[in-house]
Amino acid sequence: MPSDFDAIVIGAGHNGLTCASYLAKAGMSVIVLEQYKRIGGMTLTEEITLPGFKSDIHSYSHTFDLLSPALKDLDLASHGLEFLFPDPAFTSVFPNGLAVSVWRNLDKTCESISKFSKKDAAAWRKLHEMYLAGKQNTVRLLFGPPPSFGSLATELEKSEIGMEIFRSFLISVRTWCNEWFEADEVKTLFGSWAMHAGFSLEDSNGADFVFLITSICQDSGNAIVKGGSAGIALALERYLRARGGAIMTEAFVENIMVKDGRATGVRLKDGRTFHAKKAVVSSVDPRQTFLKFVGEDHLDPSIVRKIKRIDYGSAVATIHYALDSRPSYYAGDEANNAAYVHTTPNFDSMAKVSYECRAGLIPENPWYLATNDSATDPTRAPPGKYVMKLLLCNLPNPIRGDARGGEITETDWDKAKEKVAERVEQDFSKHVRNLREIKLKRVVESPLDLERRNPNTVNGSLLNGAAQIEQFFSFRPFPGMSQYRTSIKGLYLCGSCTHPGPGVSTAPGYNGARAVLQDLGVDFSSLTTLR
Amino acid sequence: MSESDTHFDFIVVGGGTNGLTAAAYLGKEGYSTLVIEAKNYLGGGAVTKELTLPGFKHDLFATSLNIWRASPIQDELELGKYGLQVVDPDPVASTPFKSGKSITIFRDLNSTLQSISKFSQRDALKFKEIYDFYLESKDILLGGLSSPPLQPSEMMSALEESDTGLDFLQFSYLSARDWLEENFESEEMKAFMSIWGSNHLSLSPEDAGSALIVLIFVGILQDKGAGVPIGGMSSVVESMRRYIEAHRGRIVTGDEVLEIIVDGGRAAGVKTNSGKIFRSRRGVISNIEPKALFSKLVPDSAVPEDFRKKVRRFRFSKVSEVMIHAALDSWLDYKPEETRLSGMVQIGESLDEVSRAYNDCVIGLPPSEPFMTIDNTTCYDSTRTPQGKHILWNFVRAPLFVKGRPWNEEQREAFADRCIERLCEYAPNAKRVILKRVVLSPQDIEQLNPNLVNADAGCGKATLDQSLALRPFPRWSQYRTPVKGLYMCSGATHPGGGVSGLPGHNAALVAIQDQS
């Protein structure tokens, strides 16, 4: 293998691979270095329970990437990426056995909402019109560097609707739900999404995220990748290799070499070095990129201080199941077939989870979502068998106590995780009648386990920097470094720590590549279909 | 009646501190004003009454002057000449802990730092650093409070020009929890600081922007103290009344404005409950909060529907308060000496406990360990009580509704019992020295003063979407309304609720500017 490349990308997740693919598309020689034995990063699929049961370790459904120009620009479909579209896109089930869903079809969604409130159904229709009207602007905001606050505000202040958009950036999920909906079930259906991204119902900027992602689910779907979420990474790999790009797994980066203020290459732990003629692009978080790989000697103390104060956000844990047959929800097929099932009983119960988590407590009733992997994609498990995941969001790490009267005394996640899983499974069994009978194997992954496998899961969080307002837009990953360029010449960022943040969007990778190529004088618009 | 009895340059609706401040500034500029107050007394949220026993003068709602002390109003209006006397307690504020120790702000910074260093040397140094930052930026911070809010683009673009500006912009969005956890190591210090954001404004420690609020409150306390007006809050109001009457102003109490007369799209006067009509030549200024103003006083036809929608969605906090007033036989025997004489005492053991209590309120649960503010006026003002006696003023965050329903008497008294029990853990004599107690639930407070909607002393949530240029509504942050000559000056406008007089001050500036 050669040791000189135009560009070196650190991390073979969807963002690193997207970035590398655009650089290769521009004719650059590229290598992607991945510390894990497989590529995928947060889009990793593995047989974690039993052989033949393919579990998505981190991400499961795909929403933001359905808007990505990368799908077309990199022709990912012909490189093997196949999306499937579960219907309903997501469902909330309630203790009384009722369910409410967002279906692929808007009329069907409104019909479902109407069971609880006709007014709310009309409100969702109106919201959806608003989403469609602004969709192009949204895509441009995601797939492009974040604007400065001043320029954003100047633009928005020009019109009445602009100021409404400005306000929408600052309202909480609670405010948004209360303004649009009256039925608690409907508020719960939409509000549940706040928890996916570590927002509390009260956080200032959660509403826009919820509006956006639920609208994408309605409009484009809440897709899954046939064969597992890793399918997107595998398609990107095929694209990249077809253009001469290289990927090396189990490549542990020791440091990013810096000479005269410029990144010149990467040294691995085993002593091998790679030289970068034009750029080093890191898809890993700032703490590792700068403090571990670059070293404080090369950094201004004010930057070191800003990196050290990044809030990485709340942690998650997962419970993976191999099941003997199809699980059966009390709520029926609507829940059985949904991509996601939320089981939170009411709106306020989510508020409680957030503040317990922020006080370091294992929540009294942890919040989780259930995925119905095999319902839409039978290829994920042996014939007749079933695979399923529960994702527990808004968990503390470290643990300072237990909100349920100190029932769990362990504060070490390795020791607490099975007890937390038991608490969750007890609750989940109230929604799925046959769970205990069909359970073949359960594997629990704590925040510590997740970080051990993938150090980019900093603090056991999927967020790579909490998405609260002080770390959003041009504050991401920190003020003064939001444009994918860094204080080291030739070193760029392209991970979820940058705008527009966490989730499988490929946008940070797209935006990072754009910055690199712009600096090299390449006309990026010739590489993308986004206008 | 002569024309001078019925025609004025400006009419101010509502005689709370903001309305009075607006009238005073208009009078200062030479305009004739009429202030109309529905109650038989002025003051709004600044009211002193004998509530428990004869001779005990209680401040029903607000009781100390903090933001007010940092505003230009008292000096510019020379209220001292009109009878206002304010004393400054020292120690200023204290939080005692079950351990028997306390953290206390003294007028002297070094004494404050010493108090903090009992818990952590490092936290004391951090406090000094933070206070220095406050002093450096206070002209901008306080200047921002005493003028109409800038447009977001102006403010953001200016801040984005420098690294320090950009850092400040980010800081302005930070939550108190993130800020305090980053800066302080002792739980006591985090508790002490966090209560300022969550008790004086209705913001949880997790709310974006709460760090800045804590900084401003604590900065003002260290810099200016918290004043106790001799005679109670009514004496502030009384001095303003004298000022207004000495400056072409007239005040009518006990008559309620029922309608703002709109003539050709312009506010031309008011009709009152007694059947009187007063005419305004230049404008009407409303100290009535905007929801009531536009649903009851302004004819529907006078404002467009999109504006009315903005009015409807304006939110008052549902994290409200219960107030415990009591006549005391003697003063509270707080265990720490420095707490005993403090002008203000705040109780809360840890940041997590404060957060828990606040957030329980968010979802309608009365907190099991409430945090509270207890003001000490009577150690500094003997005119409020019979000799040797004292007054308890205890403000406790509580939900507006209990499980969705208004508080009943039993719930209210049980909650007050719990608070007094809690107080006894810090001041063991608290229960024993109470001669008579009157507890006000959120509903009681709103009934006493309908302008205190939800008993939200902040007069509308102070979350980012209702702050600065978005307060009270996007595009309507400059005190003007769609009705020409009609201005808003209640706490629902920038910089918000409480007794600061600043919304009134800012509204008057805008109204005066519109005359040229």
Side-chain angles (χ1 to χ4, degrees):
Chain A
M1 177 171 291
S3 63
D4 280 20
F5 293 87
D6 289 332
I8 300 170
V9 176
I10 302 173
H14 50 98
N15 281 317
L17 291 168
T18 299
C19 178
S21 296
Y22 277 99
L23 298 181
K25 189 177 184 183
M28 292 171 78
S29 63
V30 186
I31 184 167
V32 184
L33 303 173
E34 167 58 44
Q35 58 89 32
Y36 194 58
K37 61 190 172 189
R38 281 185 201 92
I39 64 163
M42 298 282 190
T43 53
L44 185 69
T45 306
E46 294 205 322
E47 295 180 1
I48 193 176
T49 54
L50 295 171
F53 291 81
K54 295 179 201 159
S55 296
D56 282 341
I57 301 299
H58 301 285
S59 74
Y60 170 68
S61 81
H62 293 245
T63 44
F64 287 108
D65 51 339
L66 300 178
L67 304 180
S68 173
L71 298 179
K72 215 184 271 179
D73 295 348
L74 307 176
D75 197 12
L76 294 183
S78 57
H79 290 88
L81 175 63
E82 185 180 351
F83 285 119
L84 303 171
F85 294 90
D87 201 15
F90 60 96
T91 292
S92 269
V93 295
F94 301 101
N96 57 8
L98 291 178
V100 58
S101 301
V102 166
W103 297 80
R104 295 299 318 282
N105 177 285
L106 177 62
D107 291 336
K108 213 170 164 187
T109 303
C110 292
E111 204 178 296
S112 176
I113 294 174
S114 292
K115 284 184 294 183
F116 300 93
S117 160
K118 286 203 169 40
K119 200 169 145 258
D120 290 357
W124 179 242
R125 214 177 268 284
K126 172 93 173 77
L127 279 164
H128 201 58
E129 277 168 27
M130 282 168 52
Y131 166 74
L132 293 176
K135 185 174 168 183
Q136 274 316 309
N137 286 333
T138 301
V139 171
R140 277 192 289 263
L141 193 59
L142 298 173
F143 295 90
S148 73
F149 288 98
S151 63
L152 188 65
T154 304
E155 190 57 35
L156 294 174
E157 280 164 18
K158 285 180 189 158
S159 66
E160 182 76 25
I161 183 122
M163 278 309 276
E164 287 300 298
I165 292 169
F166 184 81
R167 175 181 183 269
S168 79
F169 291 142
L170 299 175
I171 61 173
S172 68
V173 174
R174 184 183 290 277
T175 298
W176 184 77
C177 285
N178 285 341
E179 272 176 14
W180 286 95
F181 306 117
E182 59 180 14
D184 195 67
E185 291 86 350
V186 181
K187 291 179 195 176
T188 305
L189 172 72
F190 292 106
S192 292
W193 283 88
M195 311 299 277
H196 288 234
F199 288 112
S200 80
L201 298 180
E202 275 62 60
D203 282 342
S204 280
N205 62 329
D208 248 16
F209 166 76
V210 167
F211 170 52
L212 187 55
I213 196 156
T214 56
S215 298
I216 296 172
C217 285
Q218 179 68 74
D219 182 40
S220 307
N222 192 17
I224 62 172
V225 177
K226 190 175 180 187
S229 199
I232 188 165
L234 298 173
L236 285 163
E237 178 186 19
R238 285 185 204 106
Y239 178 90
L240 182 60
R241 289 199 192 276
R243 270 160 193 70
I247 296 175
M248 182 186 280
T249 53
E250 293 179 277
F252 295 92
V253 173
E254 169 82 21
N255 67 318
I256 294 172
M257 298 181 291
V258 177
K259 201 178 164 198
D260 302 329
R262 198 185 161 81
T264 57
V266 171
R267 180 182 291 112
L268 300 185
K269 285 215 164 86
D270 61 14
R272 281 180 294 178
T273 57
F274 295 97
H275 290 281
K277 283 182 277 192
K278 291 171 180 164
V280 175
V281 195
S282 173
S283 71
V284 304
D285 82 284
R287 224 192 276 174
Q288 295 183 85
T289 300
F290 293 105
L291 304 186
K292 213 167 141 193
F293 298 158
V294 170
E296 292 190 24
D297 294 354
H298 296 289
L299 300 165
D300 190 274
S302 74
I303 288 181
V304 173
R305 189 175 53 85
K306 287 178 189 182
I307 293 169
K308 285 186 175 164
R309 54 187 285 202
I310 290 175
D311 172 6
Y312 278 85
S314 58
V316 299
T318 50
I319 305 174
H320 294 279
Y321 289 105
L323 302 174
D324 198 29
S325 67
R326 189 182 170 85
S328 169
Y329 284 85
Y330 287 104
D333 270 348
E334 187 169 344
N336 292 340
N337 294 326
Y340 281 143
V341 178
H342 297 133
T343 61
T344 249
N346 56 50
F347 196 66
D348 277 346
S349 63
M350 291 187 278
K352 205 156 167 290
V353 171
S354 302
Y355 67 78
E356 287 168 347
C357 164
R358 287 173 190 185
L361 303 178
I362 297 167
E364 186 177 354
N365 296 297
W367 185 94
Y368 62 94
L369 60 88
T371 65
N372 288 316
D373 306 42
S374 307
T376 312
D377 183 6
T379 72
R380 297 194 182 203
K385 310 292 182 203
Y386 210 91
V387 62
M388 173 179 252
K389 172 173 84 170
L390 304 183
L391 174 66
L392 288 55
C393 297
N394 283 283
L395 294 176
N397 185 23
I399 301 170
R400 299 212 293 269
D402 176 17
R404 193 180 285 185
E407 190 182 274
I408 298 175
T409 51
E410 288 82 358
T411 54
D412 173 349
W413 264 114
D414 285 330
K415 294 182 181 125
K417 70 176 186 179
E418 292 296 336
K419 291 185 176 173
V420 174
E422 202 46 49
R423 181 175 293 179
V424 168
E425 194 172 294
Q426 264 175 21
D427 184 78
F428 192 48
S429 301
K430 292 178 197 156
H431 298 283
V432 176
R433 59 164 64 83
N434 57 349
L435 182 68
R436 306 265 189 198
E437 297 140 45
I438 60 175
K439 184 165 76 175
L440 297 173
K441 182 94 190 267
R442 175 179 93 184
V443 172
V444 185
E445 292 222 298
S446 77
L448 299 181
D449 298 324
L450 292 168
E451 189 171 3
R452 281 177 196 129
R453 185 191 297 99
N454 178 351
N456 216 28
T457 319
V458 185
N459 284 2
S461 170
L462 302 181
L463 302 170
N464 229 261
Q468 272 72 18
I469 188 158
E470 74 278 7
Q471 299 193 148
F472 215 56
F473 282 124
S474 59
F475 288 146
R476 195 167 184 88
F478 50 84
M481 208 179 275
S482 65
Q483 301 296 306
Y484 310 92
R485 298 167 180 93
T486 70
S487 58
I488 311 283
K489 277 198 201 91
L491 176 63
Y492 297 81
L493 297 175
C494 75
S496 295
C497 64
T498 61
H499 171 80
V504 185
S505 69
T506 73
Y510 176 93
N511 295 339
R514 185 173 176 272
V516 173
L517 293 170
Q518 263 179 351
D519 287 355
L520 295 172
V522 176
D523 173 22
F524 190 73
S525 68
S526 68
L527 304 174
T528 182
T529 51
L530 181 67
R531 291 291 170 266
Chain B
M1 275 198 293
S2 71
E3 186 173 309
S4 66
D5 289 330
T6 56
H7 287 62
F8 300 85
D9 288 333
F10 287 97
I11 296 173
V12 176
V13 184
T17 44
N18 285 316
L20 295 173
T21 304
Y25 273 87
L26 292 167
K28 190 167 183 272
E29 282 297 302
Y31 297 107
S32 67
T33 60
L34 169 69
V35 179
I36 308 178
E37 166 59 47
K39 301 261 177 211
N40 290 318
Y41 49 88
L42 294 171
V47 177
T48 310
K49 293 243 170 226
E50 288 188 353
L51 185 68
T52 53
L53 296 172
F56 287 83
K57 295 179 205 155
H58 296 267
D59 284 335
L60 293 196
F61 313 115
T63 194
S64 75
L65 299 171
N66 36 65
I67 298 283
W68 170 277
R69 297 294 272 169
S71 90
I73 297 168
Q74 190 175 324
D75 289 346
E76 284 182 5
L77 301 180
E78 298 178 291
L79 292 178
K81 286 191 190 164
Y82 296 88
L84 178 60
Q85 265 182 284
V86 180
V87 288
D88 286 307
D90 190 16
V92 181
S94 179
T95 292
F97 299 97
K98 285 178 188 160
S99 63
K101 292 199 269 184
S102 69
I103 292 182
T104 304
I105 291 186
F106 294 85
R107 294 306 309 273
D108 169 54
L109 176 63
N110 285 326
S111 307
T112 303
L113 298 179
Q114 255 170 32
S115 168
I116 298 169
S117 57
K118 282 179 296 183
F119 296 90
S120 159
Q121 198 75 40
R122 191 172 154 265
D123 286 0
L125 290 173
K126 269 285 172 197
F127 184 84
K128 169 87 169 55
E129 204 178 288
I130 283 168
Y131 182 59
D132 284 343
F133 175 68
Y134 168 80
L135 291 179
E136 276 165 34
S137 35
K138 77 170 182 179
D139 287 348
I140 298 171
L141 291 175
L142 302 179
L145 301 180
S146 55
S147 51
L150 291 176
Q151 283 307 296
S153 60
E154 292 173 84
M155 191 186 77
M156 290 169 162
S157 301
L159 289 171
E160 280 174 329
E161 274 173 20
S162 69
D163 277 351
T164 46
L166 192 57
D167 283 352
F168 182 81
L169 184 60
Q170 186 189 37
F171 170 73
S172 72
Y173 290 130
L174 209 59
S175 72
R177 178 184 282 280
D178 285 347
W179 184 57
L180 297 174
E181 285 184 342
E182 183 187 324
N183 283 290
F184 297 108
E185 59 183 14
S186 84
E187 276 310 317
E188 289 86 353
M189 189 59 187
K190 287 182 246 177
F192 171 75
M193 298 285 278
S194 68
I195 306 175
W196 289 103
S198 294
N199 226 13
H200 293 257
L201 264 190
S202 190
L203 289 177
S204 84
E206 290 78 24
D207 274 328
S210 53
L212 181 60
I213 300 298
V214 174
L215 174 75
I216 292 176
F217 269 108
V218 174
I220 290 175
L221 285 174
Q222 182 62 64
D223 190 22
K224 301 272 183 187
V228 171
I230 298 299
M233 291 301 273
S234 285
S235 62
V236 178
V237 171
E238 188 53 25
S239 69
M240 295 179 88
R241 184 186 64 76
R242 290 195 195 109
Y243 183 95
I244 292 165
E245 288 178 345
H247 291 80
R248 298 193 67 202
R250 209 185 128 200
I251 288 171
V252 170
T253 55
D255 199 2
E256 189 178 359
V257 170
L258 297 182
E259 190 188 327
I260 312 268
I261 301 166
V262 180
D263 202 352
R266 235 196 118 74
V270 299
K271 276 186 205 158
T272 72
N273 196 28
S274 64
K276 291 198 187 86
I277 290 179
F278 297 99
R279 295 275 167 188
S280 61
R281 287 182 287 261
R282 296 175 184 271
V284 175
I285 300 186
S286 169
N287 192 18
I288 308 297
E289 55 82 14
K291 273 186 144 100
L293 172 65
F294 290 101
S295 69
K296 293 180 188 151
L297 304 187
V298 175
D300 280 3
S301 57
V303 283
E305 171 55 23
D306 69 334
F307 180 83
R308 302 169 62 76
K309 192 182 139 201
K310 289 177 184 179
V311 175
R312 282 197 298 273
R313 75 181 181 195
F314 184 75
R315 296 177 341 275
F316 293 93
S317 181
K318 286 183 183 166
V319 178
S320 179
E321 71 274 343
V322 161
M323 301 201 61
I324 305 170
H325 295 289
L328 302 181
D329 198 27
S330 64
W331 186 234
L332 301 167
D333 62 348
Y334 293 109
K335 285 179 236 167
E337 174 77 32
E338 58 191 45
T339 306
R340 226 168 292 159
L341 275 179
S342 263
M344 260 185 261
V345 171
Q346 312 224 73
I347 287 175
E349 285 285 320
S350 70
L351 167 61
D352 286 345
E353 189 193 274
V354 172
S355 163
R356 174 96 202 185
Y358 187 96
N359 283 298
D360 277 348
C361 293
V362 172
I363 59 175
L365 303 171
S368 57
E369 287 168 296
F371 58 95
M372 28 202 209
T373 299
I374 298 124
D375 269 47
N376 168 8
T377 50
T378 43
C379 292
Y380 291 91
D381 177 8
S382 58
T383 71
R384 299 186 186 209
T385 51
Q387 203 184 353
K389 308 295 179 197
H390 290 271
I391 278 175
L392 175 74
W393 182 100
N394 188 358
F395 178 102
V396 194
R397 280 275 172 235
L400 174 62
F401 298 118
V402 181
K403 289 180 190 153
R405 306 183 68 89
W407 290 70
N408 62 34
E409 196 183 319
E410 197 183 320
Q411 289 164 332
R412 181 187 72 196
E413 295 303 320
F415 187 69
D417 287 344
R418 193 189 299 166
C419 294
I420 298 297
E421 287 292 341
R422 176 142 218 228
L423 183 54
C424 284
E425 294 181 55
Y426 304 89
N429 71 347
K431 211 191 293 184
R432 216 169 49 237
V433 296
I434 291 177
L435 299 171
K436 172 122 195 249
R437 169 178 107 177
V438 173
V439 187
L440 303 177
S441 74
Q443 285 74 35
D444 297 330
I445 292 168
E446 190 171 340
Q447 202 181 4
L448 283 167
N449 180 351
N451 212 40
L452 285 170
V453 182
N454 289 8
D456 176 5
C459 200
K461 285 207 80 164
T463 42
L464 296 178
D465 60 303
Q466 295 196 149
S467 293
L468 297 166
L470 299 179
R471 191 171 182 93
F473 324 120
R475 305 202 104 183
W476 295 100
S477 64
Q478 302 296 305
Y479 309 90
R480 299 181 184 93
T481 71
V483 179
K484 281 205 189 77
L486 176 63
Y487 300 87
M488 301 178 276
C489 80
S490 77
T493 59
H494 173 78
V499 177
S500 73
L502 291 170
H505 167 269
N506 298 350
L509 294 188
V510 170
I512 291 164
Q513 196 185 23
D514 284 354
Q515 304 312 308
S516 55

